[in-house]
């Protein structure tokens, strides 16, 4: 069993009217099962309202499932006594960089989690040093978070989670409010943490370019998991992705259209070089053949 | 502009003053304020000026930053000066209608202004050299005895710290919403008092909504990072007095004694 | 000749060592009916520039002419200018404040001092333009979905009937569907209503599809100004500024490096597909 295991998760948002009667029920998740291997980099894709953010919030007990169970390292999030261990194990980074930084100085914010966990002072400092180093923000440790760019703020937020020594980080659309520079910065940081520290990463996003390097891509729509596989597998279904209102990288789209016209390109092309190499093989190769 | 407010803005350099325990600085500010209020002789003001200048020099914060803090109280200063100038009975300098400027008024106004300027600069220095977190930590520890009578000292200091963190963000947001409404033709500057108050609605409603949204987000982020109140919490920067703090208290004692001596001279 | 920007400077902290140029010698002419993409990364001065165009910020030096008249001239009505040059801020839904959508959209025209009847007519028109029908009129703006909120906020500016519409990152934070909705709406406003549109963005791929002219800002200066094709030829310099040309531009250059003679100005998937197919068929 993986580090995260969701079994038939159902989550309903219930709105009450003035007389405390159930007014409106919104089924955000309608039976989601997932098993995520420790150390993997998993991307969850879906348009707004697909249920992906709800899933993220269930991962560390911010929301509790209406039905079904979610286990973080074999601990059920619904189990009151495990709640704090669950939160220590699965750290969470949110969308809005401003609304998750508590400290008025970068290093103090990074120390906030360990302080709450009752870590001894000396160790807090070690953890803060390591975490800031890991996200490349050591040079800014004495700055006010307000002076940082969006991407830097998100890196501080990631460091704040890292200082809790989690085994898994759940990032809920961490790049939605950033510019392209900031987006790249955050994704690079997350990827490094995954590769170098072996942290399991669950990245929730709707930007396609961010999921190309993931080990696994899970696509959600209408509260269900509708696609699940490696990026290559998922991106070979261009039409299906579009149907779920998702973008496809231009390279993949071009390759798909060319294949439809009969060019012998491999399925699920994701990078510029892949496409250019395959096309060069076809176009130059045939030219060479023709000249014979 | 709204952004010029420096109260609560930490100036990150390494200096003796920065390294002092926040409790030492809090107590020093308190002593300083008391001496300003008991001052009634030019010598006492000179002593306060020397004390402040020394502290500013030690802090390595450019004086400009302190002066900027003063902008916020210019209005207050002008009111108190004009009240004192014209409403103090004594030997008149000149009279305009029922307003009479007096020599005594000039003297009181001068001392009042010095007092206010010194006061603001002193407390600005405290916030410039102490991070808001240290400050609230210092308050939390200094007022720790209140916990015994049921005052939620930790919670209050956490709230203060968060408020300080979000003030600049909300100031910027105010600026943005104001501009957005001005782009829709809103006018915040003309009209009578009632019209102006009404004109604030398009600014205040979005601002409140945004503040609530931020509060919800923040609460969620704090919970996700295992926050559950002050119980069982350790500190990254626990407070303990060093030799330099003890020395500073000695300086306070001497300064305070001097001021008291001048008072009874 | 709708807007002429002449040698515009905007400096912060003038006279101190902190003096900083937010805008430096920007000169720009925007003709009636143009559809312009204004590109630059955060802090490049693009938002600062747009706030000058409707008088929310005042230049340190330089001049802006609107229809030949200096907006800095004595007695020039800023309020009127703001009615003509509509500015939709980033995350415009954060400015919604009324209890229902319709009243909120009325705010702009009401500030212009129009008659009750005209205000309502304009609000209804604006809401129709953004695709919110009468069933939305009485709803609280805070109950709408993210994309709907944004459209309601854009209607709030459209109701002032601006001649020029500036949108600052109108797709920020939206998912692909929301983004396409908004960009489609903007393109329609340009085509059907004949509005001059300035679209501020940091996404080349979004903008390349729609605009006929790109203006690129970097560190407060205008660095490129031309058709998207002309600008994307500088894709290497764009990258140094933290911007990137559309992915297709890179594909085309990668193919050229591999000895395939494909037109370097290609920038959309469709163009690339057709060009590659043509090459392939010629070979076969």
């Amino acid at each position: 069993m993986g580090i995260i295991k969701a079994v038939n998760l159902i989550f309903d948002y219930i709105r009450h009217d003035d007389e405390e009667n159930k007014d409106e029920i919104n089924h955000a998740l309608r039976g989601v099962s997932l098993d995520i291997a420790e150390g993997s980099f998993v991307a969850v894709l879906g348009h707004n309202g697909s249920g992906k953010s709800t899933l993220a919030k269930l991962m560390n007990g911010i929301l509790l499932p209406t039905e079904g169970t979610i286990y973080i390292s074999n601990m059920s999030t619904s189990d009151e006594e495990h709640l704090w261990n669950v939160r220590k194990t699965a750290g969470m980074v949110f969308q809005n960089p401003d609304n998750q930084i508590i400290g008025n100085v970068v290093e103090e914010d990074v120390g906030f989690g360990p302080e709450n966990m009752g870590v001894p002072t000396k160790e807090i400092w070690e953890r803060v040093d390591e975490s800031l180093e890991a996200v490349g923000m050591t040079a800014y440790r004495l700055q006010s978070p307000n002076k940082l760019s969006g991407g830097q703020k998100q890196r501080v937020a990631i460091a704040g989670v890292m200082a809790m020594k989690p085994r898994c980080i759940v990032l809920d659309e961490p790049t939605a409010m950033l510019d392209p520079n900031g987006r790249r910065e955050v994704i690079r940081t997350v990827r490094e943490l995954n590769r170098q520290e072996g942290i399991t990463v669950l990245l929730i996003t709707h930007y396609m370019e961010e999921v190309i390097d993931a080990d696994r891509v899970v696509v959600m729509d209408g509260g269900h998991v509708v696609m699940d596989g490696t990026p290559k597998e998922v991106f070979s279904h261009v039409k299906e992705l579009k149907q779920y209102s998702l973008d496809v990288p231009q390279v993949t789209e071009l390759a798909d259209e060319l294949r439809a016209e009969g060019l012998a390109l491999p399925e699920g092309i994701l990078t510029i070089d892949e496409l250019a190499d395959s096309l060069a093989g076809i176009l130059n190769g045939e030219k060479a053949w023709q000249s014979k | 502009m709204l952004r010029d407010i420096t109260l609560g803005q930490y100036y990150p350099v390494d200096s003796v003053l920065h390294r002092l325990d926040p409790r030492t600085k809090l107590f020093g500010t308190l002593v300083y304020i008391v001496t300003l209020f008991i001052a009634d002789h030019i010598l006492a003001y000179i002593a306060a000026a020397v004390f402040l200048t020394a502290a500013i020099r030690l802090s390595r914060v450019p004086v400009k930053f302190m002066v900027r803090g003063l902008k916020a109280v210019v209005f207050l200063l002008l009111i108190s000066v004009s009240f004192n100038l014209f409403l103090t009975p004594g030997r008149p300098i000149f009279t305009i209608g029922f307003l009479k400027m007096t020599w005594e008024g000039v003297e009181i106004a001068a001392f009042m202004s010095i007092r206010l300027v010194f006061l603001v600069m002193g407390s600005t220095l405290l916030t410039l050299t102490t991070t808001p977190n240290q400050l609230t930590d210092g308050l939390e520890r200094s007022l720790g005895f209140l916990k015994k009578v049921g005052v939620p000292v930790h919670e209050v200091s956490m709230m203060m710290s968060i408020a300080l963190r979000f003030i600049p963000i909300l100031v910027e947001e105010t600026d943005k919403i104001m501009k957005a409404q001005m782009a829709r033709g809103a006018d915040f500057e003309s009209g009578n008092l009632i019209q102006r108050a009404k004109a604030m609605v398009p600014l205040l409603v979005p601002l409140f909504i945004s503040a609530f949204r931020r509060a919800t987000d923040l609460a969620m982020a704090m919970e996700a990072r295992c926050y559950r109140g002050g119980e069982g919490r350790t500190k990254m920067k626990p407070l303990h007095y060093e030799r330099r703090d003890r020395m500073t208290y000695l300086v306070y004692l001497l300064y305070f004694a001097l001021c008291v001596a001048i008072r009874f001279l | 000749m709708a807007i002429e920007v002449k040698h515009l400077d905007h400096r912060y902290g003038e006279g101190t060592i902190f003096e900083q140029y937010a805008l430096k010698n920007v000169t720009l002419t925007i003709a009636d009916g143009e559809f312009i993409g204004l590109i630059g990364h955060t802090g490049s001065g693009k938002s600062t520039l747009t706030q000058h165009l409707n008088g929310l910020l005042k230049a340190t030096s330089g001049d802006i002419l609107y229809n030949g008249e200096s907006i800095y001239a004595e007695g020039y009505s800023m309020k009127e200018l703001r009615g003509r040059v509509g500015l939709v801020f980033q995350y415009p839904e954060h400015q919604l404040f009324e209890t229902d959508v319709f009243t909120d959209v009325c705010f702009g025209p009401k500030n212009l001092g129009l008659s009750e009847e005209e205000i309502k007519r304009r609000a209804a028109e604006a809401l129709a333009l953004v695709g919110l029908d009468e069933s939305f009129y009485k709803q609280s703006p805070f109950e709408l979905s993210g994309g709907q909120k944004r459209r309601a906020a854009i209607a709030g500016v459209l109701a002032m009937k601006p001649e020029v519409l500036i949108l600052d990152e109108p797709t920020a934070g939206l998912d692909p569907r929301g983004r396409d909705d908004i960009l489609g709406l903007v393109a329609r406003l340009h085509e059907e209503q004949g509005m001059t549109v300035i679209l501020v963005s940091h996404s080349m791929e979004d903008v390349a599809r729609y605009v006929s002219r790109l203006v690129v800002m970097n560190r407060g200066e205008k660095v490129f100004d031309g058709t998207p094709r002309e600008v994307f030829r500088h894709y290497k310099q764009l990258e140094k500024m933290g911007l990137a040309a559309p992915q297709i531009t890179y594909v085309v250059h990668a193919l050229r490096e591999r000895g395939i003679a494909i037109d370097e100005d290609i920038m959309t998937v469709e163009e690339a597909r057709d060009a590659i197919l043509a090459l392939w068929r010629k070979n076969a």
Side-chain angles (χ1 to χ4, degrees):
Chain A
M1 173 155 134
I3 177 138
I4 300 175
K5 188 174 169 66
V7 184
N8 206 17
L9 284 180
I10 293 180
F11 188 85
D12 297 333
Y13 285 103
I14 299 169
R15 260 196 6 196
H16 295 275
D17 62 11
D18 298 338
E19 281 102 43
E20 289 295 306
N21 298 316
K22 280 185 191 177
D23 181 32
E24 210 182 303
I25 298 179
N26 177 6
H27 307 286
L29 294 181
R30 303 161 185 255
V32 170
S33 296
L34 262 184
D35 196 337
I36 287 167
E38 178 133 32
S40 61
F41 185 146
V42 179
V44 178
L45 284 175
H47 61 80
N48 290 347
S50 62
K52 62 187 194 305
S53 274
T54 307
L55 182 64
K57 288 183 184 102
L58 286 164
M59 300 252 171
N60 77 345
I62 288 174
L63 297 177
L64 296 176
T66 313
E67 271 175 56
T69 325
I70 180 158
Y71 299 96
I72 304 297
S73 168
N74 292 325
M75 299 175 286
S76 162
T77 59
S78 312
D79 218 336
E80 189 87 29
E81 62 172 314
H82 289 319
L83 190 59
W84 302 106
N85 275 325
V86 163
R87 288 188 180 159
K88 262 187 259 178
T89 313
M92 183 121 189
V93 176
F94 299 89
Q95 185 185 93
N96 190 324
D98 277 323
N99 298 358
Q100 58 183 319
I101 294 181
I102 295 109
N104 286 285
V105 179
V106 167
E107 62 174 16
E108 289 177 10
D109 183 71
V110 178
F112 181 75
E115 283 185 334
N116 293 334
M117 287 155 59
V119 174
T121 302
K122 193 164 157 282
E123 203 192 322
I124 297 182
W125 281 90
E126 288 163 13
R127 288 184 178 206
V128 169
D129 292 349
E130 279 167 25
S131 310
L132 284 171
E133 196 64 49
V135 300
M137 287 296 290
T138 308
Y140 301 88
R141 63 182 305 157
L142 293 175
Q143 293 241 355
S144 154
N146 292 329
K147 301 248 154 81
L148 305 179
S149 73
Q152 289 172 332
K153 282 180 204 165
Q154 285 303 54
R155 274 152 70 197
V156 170
I158 294 170
V161 170
M162 286 296 291
M164 295 166 70
K165 298 219 164 159
R167 287 165 62 196
C168 167
I169 299 187
V170 180
L171 302 107
D172 186 7
E173 298 196 44
T175 57
M177 298 178 77
L178 306 181
D179 66 4
N181 275 344
R183 242 182 266 163
R184 270 194 291 271
E185 200 177 311
V186 169
I187 296 303
R188 203 189 312 130
T189 307
V190 173
R191 212 183 297 151
E192 267 168 31
L193 290 179
N194 171 253
R195 290 199 185 140
Q196 284 164 15
E197 323 265 331
I199 306 256
T200 312
V201 171
L202 198 89
L203 174 69
I204 287 157
T205 185
H206 50 237
Y207 291 110
M208 291 295 157
E209 350 36 298
E210 295 174 0
V211 311
I212 288 168
D213 289 321
D215 297 316
R216 178 176 167 197
V217 177
V218 174
V219 179
M220 294 198 56
D221 188 65
H224 294 285
V225 171
V226 288
M227 293 168 91
D228 188 346
T230 63
K232 265 198 184 318
E233 286 162 11
V234 168
F235 282 112
S236 57
H237 302 279
V238 173
K239 279 211 187 67
E240 205 180 336
L241 284 168
K242 287 200 164 171
Q243 192 188 310
Y244 299 130
S245 308
L246 290 171
D247 264 349
V248 175
Q250 287 191 330
V251 172
T252 312
E253 192 173 351
L254 177 58
D256 189 66
E257 295 198 4
L258 290 173
R259 266 165 47 81
E261 297 286 343
L263 264 77
L265 288 167
E267 281 198 358
I269 283 185
L270 299 174
T271 67
I272 293 163
D273 283 335
E274 248 180 293
L275 178 63
D277 286 340
S278 315
L279 275 177
I282 294 171
L283 296 175
N284 288 340
E286 286 176 8
K287 211 183 278 171
W289 171 78
Q290 227 176 19
S291 64
K292 261 182 210 167
Chain B
M1 248 327 249
L2 289 163
R3 275 182 210 145
D4 291 336
I5 301 169
T6 51
L7 285 166
Q9 293 284 6
Y10 181 63
Y11 188 87
V13 284
D14 192 25
S15 79
V16 186
L17 221 61
H18 284 74
R19 268 175 281 153
L20 282 181
D21 189 289
R23 288 170 294 178
T24 313
K25 284 183 268 189
L26 272 168
F27 188 72
T29 313
L30 190 70
V31 168
Y32 181 67
I33 292 171
V34 170
T35 60
L36 281 180
F37 278 98
I38 62 169
D40 66 345
H41 191 276
I42 185 89
L43 273 178
Y45 287 104
I46 291 172
V50 170
F51 186 75
L52 184 67
T53 315
I56 291 174
R57 288 299 292 275
L58 283 173
S59 74
R60 296 177 54 205
V61 177
V63 180
K64 193 169 57 203
F65 278 85
M66 254 147 281
V67 178
R68 226 189 266 175
L70 283 176
K71 277 191 203 158
V73 291
V74 166
F75 191 60
L76 192 68
L77 195 67
L78 284 178
I79 291 181
S80 83
V81 164
S82 37
F83 266 80
N84 280 307
L85 278 182
F86 293 104
L87 298 177
T88 315
R91 293 166 296 140
I93 302 171
F94 62 83
T95 329
I96 319 161
F98 64 96
L99 290 172
K100 187 173 70 177
M101 195 194 262
T102 63
W103 288 108
E104 284 77 6
V106 172
E107 196 184 319
I108 293 177
F111 281 131
M112 268 297 288
S113 322
I114 294 175
R115 210 178 262 181
L116 194 64
V117 168
F118 278 15
L119 190 88
V120 171
M121 285 175 82
S123 34
T124 310
L125 190 61
L126 174 71
T127 55
L128 280 167
T129 59
T130 321
T131 69
N133 268 25
Q134 287 172 344
L135 203 62
T136 47
D137 260 9
L139 275 174
E140 190 181 343
R141 279 287 292 275
S142 311
L143 303 176
F145 62 91
L146 288 175
K147 226 185 286 184
K148 293 198 184 80
V149 292
V151 180
V153 182
H154 166 78
E155 283 72 11
V156 170
S157 78
M158 180 57 87
M159 272 161 55
M160 278 175 53
S161 168
I162 288 170
L164 284 170
R165 153 116 178 81
F166 279 88
I167 285 170
I169 294 176
L170 290 175
V171 166
E172 207 170 291
E173 185 139 14
T174 310
D175 190 46
K176 221 192 100 184
I177 297 171
M178 223 162 152
K179 276 187 183 159
Q181 304 298 28
M182 277 160 76
R184 291 166 81 191
D187 188 350
F188 294 106
E189 272 139 21
S190 52
N192 61 35
L193 209 60
I194 295 167
Q195 280 166 332
R196 278 197 198 199
K198 268 176 102 175
M200 295 308 274
V201 173
L203 174 63
L204 291 178
V205 173
L207 201 59
F208 271 103
I209 288 169
S210 148
F212 279 120
R213 193 181 49 234
R214 287 182 191 281
T216 325
D217 280 5
L218 192 71
M220 196 158 68
M222 286 172 77
E223 254 192 69
R225 283 163 80 181
C226 292
Y227 181 72
R228 44 193 151 164
E231 287 307 308
R233 236 176 148 249
T234 45
K235 295 258 177 208
M236 178 178 177
K237 296 176 177 170
L239 301 177
H240 43 82
Y241 285 127
E242 307 269 346
R243 186 158 166 271
R244 56 174 172 263
D245 293 296
R246 289 189 281 274
M247 296 295 289
T248 311
Y249 274 104
L250 203 64
V251 173
Y252 292 163
L253 188 70
L254 289 173
Y255 168 68
F256 191 68
L258 180 70
C259 289
V260 172
I262 292 170
R263 168 93 197 188
F264 292 106
L265 214 65
Chain C
M1 214 176 38
I3 304 176
E4 283 173 89
V5 178
K6 289 183 171 171
H7 305 289
L8 206 68
D9 273 355
H10 189 100
R11 290 191 292 269
Y12 289 118
E14 221 176 338
T16 70
I17 48 159
F18 293 109
E19 185 175 291
Q20 231 182 6
Y21 279 90
L23 290 177
K24 200 171 179 181
N25 197 19
V26 176
T27 296
L28 188 68
T29 305
I30 296 160
D32 277 326
E34 271 198 282
F35 192 170
I36 296 183
L38 183 58
I39 310 278
H41 66 79
T42 314
S44 62
K46 58 187 194 309
S47 296
T48 313
L49 178 60
T50 57
Q51 290 179 24
H52 280 81
L53 299 182
N54 76 345
L56 282 172
L57 287 176
K58 193 173 183 314
T60 317
S61 64
D63 202 0
I64 296 175
L65 307 186
Y66 186 72
N67 288 337
E69 256 183 282
S70 168
I71 66 166
Y72 297 135
E74 190 106 9
Y76 194 90
S77 165
M78 282 297 168
K79 208 168 186 171
E80 213 181 297
L81 177 71
R82 284 170 198 158
R84 291 178 169 195
V85 182
L87 174 56
V88 178
F89 272 78
Q90 197 176 5
Y91 299 107
E93 58 275 21
H94 292 178
Q95 79 199 16
L96 299 170
F97 69 100
E98 278 290 359
T99 45
D100 66 75
V101 171
F102 193 82
T103 322
D104 202 284
V105 175
C106 288
F107 182 67
K110 205 152 76 188
N111 287 326
L112 293 179
L114 303 168
S115 69
E116 190 76 8
E117 199 182 337
E118 176 71 6
I119 292 171
K120 286 193 169 146
R121 204 173 55 78
R122 285 191 177 195
E125 244 178 62
L127 281 163
L129 279 176
V130 301
L132 294 176
D133 61 32
E134 275 178 49
S135 65
F136 288 99
Y137 286 10
K138 288 292 148 211
Q139 280 194 42
S140 159
F142 308 108
E143 310 249 296
L144 304 180
S145 78
Q148 289 167 345
K149 264 188 211 170
R150 190 156 298 181
R151 282 188 277 154
I154 293 175
V157 172
L158 289 178
M160 297 168 70
K161 286 217 164 173
E163 293 154 5
V164 180
L165 181 67
I166 308 172
L167 301 107
D168 193 354
E169 309 259 358
T171 62
L174 295 179
D175 65 0
R177 184 162 44 186
R179 179 202 62 202
D180 291 345
D181 278 359
I182 296 288
L183 291 176
L185 163 68
V186 173
R188 264 204 329 279
L189 289 173
H190 173 248
E191 275 162 33
E192 291 167 18
Q193 307 294 311
M195 271 181 207
T196 308
V197 177
I198 303 174
L199 186 61
V200 180
S201 174
H202 44 228
S203 165
M204 292 286 189
E205 277 167 36
D206 289 357
V207 169
R209 263 187 285 170
Y210 298 99
V211 303
S212 48
R213 177 176 165 199
L214 277 181
V215 174
V216 180
M217 301 279 300
N218 191 38
R219 296 179 185 200
E221 290 180 85
K222 185 180 93 172
V223 283
F224 296 119
D225 183 350
T227 63
R229 279 171 223 286
E230 284 162 4
V231 171
F232 294 152
R233 280 185 205 141
H234 307 280
Y235 72 106
K236 285 199 171 126
Q237 279 115 299
L238 288 174
E239 209 151 313
K240 281 197 197 112
M241 293 167 207
L243 299 167
Q247 229 188 354
I248 290 300
T249 307
Y250 292 89
V251 172
V252 167
H253 284 277
L255 286 173
R256 288 169 65 89
E257 275 165 30
R258 287 164 177 77
I260 293 167
I262 187 168
D263 182 7
E264 67 167 335
D265 283 347
I266 284 172
M267 54 179 202
T268 67
V269 173
E270 294 74 35
E271 289 168 358
R273 181 196 59 204
D274 294 343
I276 292 167
L277 284 176
L279 282 171
W280 183 56
R281 289 187 180 131
K282 207 170 73 189
N283 284 353

